[in-house]
Amino acid sequence: MMLLAMALATTTPSPLTDAHQDDIACVAVLATLAEKQRLGSAPLDAPDVRQQGKRWAGIVGSRITEQSGQPRELVAVAMAEAAKAEFQRPSNLARINMCVVQMTTELATADLVDQPLHKPVTSK
C-alpha cells in the first residue's frame, strides 16, 4: 500500500493534449449555449443543453483529470476560462451541433456502462 501511495505521489501531471483542449472548448460552447438559453438569448434552432450539458461537463472533467493527472480544480478553471471567452463570441450553430453530437454519443455510452447487470438465468 505504501508503494502505491509513493508511486502516485511521484506521478507528474502531463500537459493537456489537443484532444483535451478540444473537449474543453466543446464544454465551453455548450455551457455558453446553456447560459444563453437560461437568459433567453440563444438561437431558437439550437437544442436545449441545460441539463445534459452539466452531466457531460462532469464526465469530460473527470476524464481529463484522470488522463492528464492534472488537479480537478485546474481542469475546472480551464473550463470556466474557456466558457468566459466563448460567451463573448457569437453563437456558431455548426459548432454547437458538432459538440451536441459528441455530448450525446458520450452520454449514451455512459448510460450503457451504468446499466445494471442482467440477472443470471438459472436452469431448472
Side-chain angles (χ1 to χ4, degrees), residues 12 41 46 70 81 84 87-88 90 98 100 114-115 122-123:
T12 304
S41 61
Q70 295 289 342
E81 291 300 315
K84 281 184 200 175
F87 198 79
Q88 302 306 315
M98 184 184 76
V100 167
D114 290 340
Q115 291 291 321
T122 57
S123 59

Side-chain angles (χ1 to χ4, degrees), residues 30-48:
L30 297 184
T32 297
L33 175 60
E35 179 63 10
K36 288 180 178 179
Q37 287 172 333
R38 187 184 72 76
L39 297 171
S41 61
L44 297 177
D45 50 350
D48 187 347

Side-chain angles (χ1 to χ4, degrees), residues 100-116:
V100 167
V101 167
Q102 180 182 350
M103 175 186 70
T104 304
T105 302
E106 290 185 18
L107 288 176
T109 301
D111 287 344
L112 286 175
V113 169
D114 290 340
Q115 291 291 321

Side-chain angles (χ1 to χ4, degrees), residues 15-27 56 60 63-64 67-68 79 95 102 106:
L16 299 180
T17 65
D18 289 342
H20 295 148
Q21 295 290 350
D22 290 345
D23 285 347
I24 289 171
C26 255
V27 166
W56 185 61
V60 170
R63 180 177 65 234
I64 292 173
Q67 290 174 353
S68 69
M79 287 180 172
R95 177 83 168 131
Q102 180 182 350
E106 290 185 18

Side-chain angles (χ1 to χ4, degrees), residues 39-91:
L39 297 171
S41 61
L44 297 177
D45 50 350
D48 187 347
V49 298
R50 289 174 283 186
Q51 290 303 315
Q52 289 185 324
K54 286 180 186 179
R55 181 171 166 234
W56 185 61
I59 290 170
V60 170
S62 294
R63 180 177 65 234
I64 292 173
T65 298
E66 182 180 311
Q67 290 174 353
S68 69
Q70 295 289 342
R72 179 180 28 214
E73 297 80 12
L74 182 77
V75 174
V77 167
M79 287 180 172
E81 291 300 315
K84 281 184 200 175
E86 184 64 35
F87 198 79
Q88 302 306 315
R89 298 183 188 110
S91 297

